[in-house]
Amino acid sequence: MRWLQNLRYDIRKNPALLLMTLPVIMYVVVFCYLPMSGIVLAFKQFDYSEGIFGSPWCGFKNFRFFFISGQAAVVMRNTVLYNIAFIIVNNIVEITVAIFISEIGGKWFKKITQGAMFLPTFISWVVVSAFVYNIFSYDFGAFNHLLRSVGGEPVDIYSQSTLWVFIIIFLNSWKHVGYGSVVYLAAIMGIDAEIYESATLDGAGELQKIRYITLPCLKPTVVILVIMGIGDIFRGDFDLFYQMVGTNSLLFNTTDVIDTFVFRSLLFSQEYGMSAAVGLFQSVLCFAFLTATNWVIRRVDPENSLY
């Protein structure tokens, strides 16, 4: 077979490079592919004494539990809308930051700025939630303390579900802007400097070079990152939503996503089959949306499709 001959040729030609990829391949196999055998739990009534493979089959009963809960539509809506907002806001902010950093002249100032913006990536959501609570707490939060000091009335942020839509989108963007801007900055650094020099000789200003050179050259990177983002459109960032909201039922209508709903249901019902069924349901939908998005892009702009 031709693919087998190509594989043998690559092994003979690049043995050192293939050996370097071996740890990554082993990691993916052990932590991504082997656990996929547990998918059968989605179709079984789990019994501790029998184990996963010995438990009796129950068909699609575990999927039915999620849809008859009455919250499926709400949590699916929240998950999709939040991810759409994250994709749009994060990409806009990351591109803007990357362009600003690329335009900074001072070498040390540029490095300090990059380091400061990258720092939130390494801060745990547990720590962030503590900061947020100390800012917005009704009794002793800094925000309400400031309102009281100027004669205003304190606001109970933790009972205002609409406000948390903007708070969560802001926090997600704040935490990921450093990493995302590095990706776009690398793409900007890869643009041929002669193009900018030619534009400068033609009398183009900085804004014109950004509009007609930088942004068009970032298009392939934007498309790939958007496709990858859509690939997780039915998955919520559990750490973000659970640490920020916890079990505050006043905020569930606008902050509850599939992952947090399943986690709470699992705590009370101990239905492991249901959690496996929802995980499989998310994976199938994410794969379907990723494939459909890539198909559309391949039809419109084949050069920028993922595959």
Side-chain angles (χ1 to χ4, degrees), residues 6-246:
N6 293 335
L7 178 61
R8 290 173 179 172
Y9 174 77
D10 289 336
I11 292 175
R12 289 195 303 268
K13 185 179 179 181
N14 305 301
L17 294 178
L18 292 174
L19 187 62
M20 291 173 62
T21 63
L22 186 60
V24 177
I25 295 173
M26 293 177 60
Y27 175 87
V28 173
V29 170
V30 172
F31 292 101
C32 296
Y33 283 97
L34 292 182
M36 288 178 67
S37 60
I39 288 176
V40 298
L41 186 59
F43 305 96
K44 290 196 170 190
Q45 186 67 42
F46 182 68
D47 188 334
Y48 288 96
S49 60
E50 298 292 339
I52 294 177
F53 298 102
S55 299
W57 296 93
C58 64
F60 292 94
K61 179 182 177 182
N62 292 322
F63 294 88
R64 180 173 174 269
F65 177 86
F66 174 64
F67 288 103
I68 67 173
S69 64
Q71 295 297 314
V74 174
V75 296
M76 288 177 64
R77 176 203 67 190
N78 291 344
T79 305
V80 172
L81 292 180
Y82 271 116
N83 280 314
I84 291 175
F86 293 161
I87 292 172
I88 295 173
V89 174
N90 287 7
N91 277 283
I92 292 175
V93 174
E94 289 162 6
I95 291 172
T96 304
V97 169
I99 291 174
F100 279 145
I101 292 177
S102 67
E103 295 294 327
I104 295 176
K107 180 180 178 181
W108 288 106
F109 183 74
K110 180 184 292 188
K111 290 191 174 189
I112 293 173
T113 303
Q114 283 184 270
M117 300 197 66
F118 214 92
L119 181 62
T121 306
F122 301 101
I123 301 178
S124 167
W125 280 119
V126 178
V127 178
V128 176
S129 67
F131 289 153
V132 172
Y133 183 76
N134 280 277
I135 293 173
F136 293 126
S137 172
Y138 182 81
D139 295 320
F140 54 83
F143 178 73
N144 282 319
H145 178 74
L146 179 62
L147 288 179
R148 292 188 183 99
S149 65
V150 296
E153 291 293 328
V155 180
D156 188 1
I157 303 293
Y158 281 89
S159 66
Q160 305 291 326
S161 59
T162 305
L163 293 178
W164 280 91
V165 174
F166 303 99
I167 293 173
I168 287 176
I169 293 175
F170 170 79
L171 291 174
N172 181 272
S173 179
W174 168 79
K175 199 170 193 300
H176 293 100
V177 66
Y179 179 83
S181 61
V182 168
V183 175
Y184 284 114
L185 186 60
I188 293 174
M189 295 296 103
I191 300 174
D192 192 348
E194 292 182 359
I195 301 176
Y196 290 105
E197 293 174 1
S198 299
T200 302
L201 292 175
D202 290 337
E206 293 300 325
L207 291 179
Q208 289 176 315
K209 287 188 284 187
I210 291 172
R211 178 180 177 182
Y212 295 106
I213 300 176
T214 305
L215 292 180
C217 289
L218 288 179
K219 180 182 175 181
T221 306
V222 174
V223 172
I224 295 299
L225 292 180
V226 168
I227 293 176
M228 294 177 66
I230 291 176
D232 283 328
I233 198 167
F234 278 93
R235 296 190 182 279
D237 189 336
F238 175 80
D239 290 336
L240 165 60
F241 289 95
Y242 188 75
Q243 295 299 335
M244 292 300 113
V245 178

